Amino acid sequence: VSLLKQEQQQQLAWQIIDRLEYEGYEAYLVGGCVRDQLLGRAIKDIDIATSALPETVLGSFKRAEPTGLQHGTITVILEGIPFEVTTFRSEQGYSDHRRPDEVRFIRDLREDLSRRDFTMNAMAIDRSGRLIDPFGGEHDLRQRVLRCVGEPQKRFAEDALRMLRCIRFAAEYELVIEQETWSALLANVTRIQDIAIERIRAELERIVEGTSPGRGLELLASSGITDYFKHSLSDIISAAVQVLRASQLTDWTYTDEPMIRWARLFLAAGLDAEVAGKLMRKLTFPNRKLQEIVQLITMHSVLWEQAQIVMAQRSKGLLREDSIEQPTMEKTWKLQVVKHGEEAALGWLAMTSARVDLDEQAKDWLRDAYRWLDELPIKRASELAIKGDHLLQAGFHAGPGLGKLLRYLAEAVAVGDLPNDLPSLMTESLRLQSVKSDYDE
Ligand code: ATP
Ligand code: MG
């Protein structure tokens, strides 16, 4: 299906190129799609470069949006698929080390290719399928070398984000960074301070969630670039790298789930949920993603701590098998499930099952945890037979006390202390109200 879709995407791109050529302009496939095609990798999106000016492109297609007009990009949409069509351009002056002071539209493909960052990204394919490769990108790819176009020193000084792109590409495509390129990167690391945190975060996400996060982190740590992020990540990344090295988990290919990778990264670096959450907030992580990662770390700390307690007690002979110990893990687990929800619980199980360093006891508990999850009468407070409305009708006041009461009831039902039926839950609510006023404040 996806092959078919790629074929279709390719055909539509040719349609755009045909149309522009018909109007007398040049147009080529450029950038990532050329590189990925040579590597035999799946193509994500297709970028087109053209000698036509943006207004011309805008006027030539029924559905076209000026998505990046100031740098010459028009998004053309064919059959619902977007294509970025960008006018050949050159860039002058990078006084702020992030963006060119001036963008000039030009007529020459080669000059356009020369402003691009790496040789493998500076290739084009014309309508006949011919590769246009003035900087030896194909050769470099074959040698598995990542090399700047032109003078590396100048290129990293122009735009500091290229250093993170360099590390990301080296990891993602398993390339060796060419000597001069790497030296220039090392010489320019301080300039990363000029780059907005959102753009840094986006690159970090792609490194951690890509095909070789371990290698990406190694490169980040060894370059020293993380020392110059506005919100110092260097301790975290080097700690994570050390732990990963020590536990021989340098390649994280055993899990593709981004949230699990981030949670493992922060846990490896010894961060608790609160500190990790603060850091992600500073890095402008999307809130939902942040919450999911924080939940995984929280569940891990609570369950891990509980497991340590149980093990310690057992080794001192304080507890007998089955009687007290098992319910303790069971109860802790069930409480975590109602607190964070089934999705988070399954995420934690996936994260923990993937570990290679689990002992027999831990494996037993994991097997139990799946069973306990199935056994739970409810998996979140919203599945309670009693609703907020029932309580309001019974004279409880709206407010935080009500939420607290519902959470308490959910926990009691989850661990089997109360049945999940309305009369029992109402009776318990009224009883609590009579003994403790703080459930109704
Ligand atoms: P991917 O989409 O997988 O990240 P890509 O190569 O398509 O890879 P984009 O960020 O989509 O990367 O950029 C498209 C092209 O624009 C690149 O292939 C490269 O030629 C050029 N480019 C992007 N960012 C820069 C930059 N910071 N400096 C120089 N050229 C760049
Ligand atoms: Mg791209």
Side-chain angles (χ1 to χ4, degrees):
V1 179
S2 89
L3 256 176
L4 205 73
K5 219 179 148 202
Q6 282 205 28
E7 186 60 32
Q8 182 204 9
Q9 197 182 0
Q10 185 74 255
Q11 287 310 318
L12 294 169
W14 292 133
Q15 276 184 34
I16 295 174
I17 290 173
D18 283 342
R19 171 77 205 210
L20 290 165
E21 287 190 345
Y22 172 79
E23 293 188 23
Y25 302 99
E26 289 179 35
Y28 304 88
L29 303 179
V30 284
C33 70
V34 177
R35 172 196 72 217
D36 290 343
Q37 196 159 313
L38 287 181
L39 285 169
R41 281 176 70 122
I43 290 164
K44 282 155 291 180
D45 35 40
I46 296 188
D47 295 324
I48 293 168
T50 181
S51 61
L53 288 172
E55 304 85 79
T56 310
V57 177
L58 205 50
S60 300
F61 298 94
K62 238 185 264 145
R63 281 191 70 195
E65 303 287 338
T67 44
L69 205 52
Q70 70 284 10
H71 41 95
T73 301
I74 304 292
T75 299
V76 173
I77 300 149
L78 287 189
E79 297 182 17
I81 302 175
F83 296 85
E84 291 207 339
V85 181
T86 305
T87 304
F88 296 158
R89 63 172 208 245
S90 70
E91 293 167 353
Q92 255 84 38
Y94 281 86
S95 42
D96 63 357
H97 312 298
R98 342 170 239 231
R99 306 218 189 258
D101 302 332
E102 189 196 324
V103 168
R104 231 167 11 96
F105 297 131
I106 53 175
R107 306 284 306 178
D108 180 32
L109 170 69
R110 271 151 219 271
E111 197 182 342
D112 178 88
L113 293 176
S114 74
R115 71 163 170 93
R116 295 171 185 269
D117 47 6
F118 303 103
T119 58
M120 66 173 194
N121 288 343
M123 300 182 281
I125 292 178
D126 73 10
R127 184 63 180 95
S128 70
R130 191 172 60 97
L131 184 73
I132 297 140
D133 177 18
F135 306 102
E138 189 186 21
H139 178 81
D140 282 344
L141 267 186
R142 212 174 280 134
Q143 308 283 311
R144 309 214 70 79
V145 167
L146 183 60
R147 183 197 310 270
C148 282
V149 171
E151 284 173 54
Q153 170 59 36
K154 227 172 96 190
R155 305 315 307 278
F156 290 133
E158 281 172 359
D159 176 0
L161 190 72
R162 287 175 189 154
M163 295 185 285
L164 288 183
R165 285 174 61 86
C166 180
I167 289 174
R168 191 237 303 167
F169 284 127
E172 183 66 28
Y173 295 91
E174 284 157 25
L175 306 172
V176 175
I177 302 170
E178 177 270 330
Q179 187 54 51
E180 209 185 318
T181 298
W182 180 245
S183 307
L185 189 153
L186 294 181
N188 281 281
V189 287
T190 61
R191 296 189 199 272
I192 199 68
Q193 296 171 98
D194 300 327
I195 300 296
I197 196 76
E198 304 79 51
R199 302 179 76 203
I200 292 178
R201 190 250 308 149
E203 288 296 330
L204 287 177
E205 283 181 289
R206 299 187 67 171
I207 290 169
V208 169
E209 297 164 23
T211 52
S212 311
R215 174 152 153 77
L217 292 176
E218 292 263 7
L219 287 169
L220 280 173
S222 62
S223 70
I225 198 168
T226 46
D227 289 342
Y228 300 97
F229 290 172
K230 279 185 202 119
H231 303 290
S232 173
L233 284 171
S234 67
D235 293 349
I236 294 161
I237 289 172
S238 47
V241 167
Q242 263 165 28
V243 173
L244 293 169
R245 271 186 203 144
S247 60
Q248 290 161 338
L249 291 176
T250 330
D251 83 333
W252 287 0
T253 40
Y254 66 83
T255 172
D256 288 337
E257 177 50 57
M259 310 305 166
I260 295 179
R261 288 210 180 154
W262 281 107
R264 283 197 53 97
L265 173 68
F266 291 130
L267 284 166
L271 267 59
D272 66 22
E274 195 188 331
V275 175
K278 273 192 186 142
L279 181 75
M280 285 188 280
R281 201 154 291 124
K282 283 184 190 161
L283 286 171
T284 70
F285 268 66
N287 204 42
R288 209 198 133 99
K289 185 167 183 173
L290 180 153
Q291 296 299 344
E292 280 183 41
I293 297 164
V294 163
Q295 274 181 335
L296 287 174
I297 300 173
T298 306
M299 292 187 82
H300 178 84
S301 327
V302 171
L303 291 161
W304 194 252
E305 213 162 276
Q306 187 58 35
Q308 299 308 305
I309 292 168
V310 171
M311 299 290 271
Q313 286 176 332
R314 172 197 285 181
S315 73
K316 288 186 209 140
L318 293 178
L319 292 177
R320 280 179 302 120
E321 293 282 330
D322 305 324
S323 60
I324 311 168
E325 165 200 319
Q326 291 296 343
T328 308
M329 277 316 280
E330 178 178 350
K331 191 168 174 180
T332 310
W333 170 242
K334 288 182 170 175
L335 289 175
Q336 287 299 301
V337 177
V338 271
K339 188 156 184 213
H340 300 289
E342 187 177 15
E343 211 182 310
L346 288 170
W348 181 83
L349 284 169
M351 172 167 91
T352 310
S353 310
R355 289 176 67 141
V356 294
D357 57 346
L358 295 176
D359 58 22
E360 286 310 310
Q361 173 63 78
K363 285 180 189 162
D364 280 348
W365 275 331
L366 271 179
R367 268 189 293 275
D368 289 340
Y370 279 103
R371 186 165 48 79
W372 293 329
L373 183 63
D374 273 346
E375 283 171 14
L376 275 170
I378 61 166
K379 294 190 175 89
R380 51 180 72 238
S382 61
E383 292 169 23
L384 276 172
I386 198 166
K387 309 288 172 202
D389 280 350
H390 296 124
L391 292 165
L392 292 173
Q393 279 158 26
F396 287 79
H397 299 305
L402 202 66
K404 200 168 155 190
L405 173 58
L406 288 168
R407 279 196 297 280
Y408 164 81
L409 294 173
E411 290 180 1
V413 170
V415 299
D417 288 351
L418 281 175
N420 189 25
D421 64 62
L422 184 54
S424 311
L425 294 170
M426 185 58 85
T427 307
E428 175 67 1
S429 301
L430 293 168
R431 189 187 68 80
L432 281 168
Q433 189 188 36
S434 68
V435 295
K436 271 189 114 189
S437 59
D438 66 328
Y439 286 106
D440 184 35
E441 58 210 2

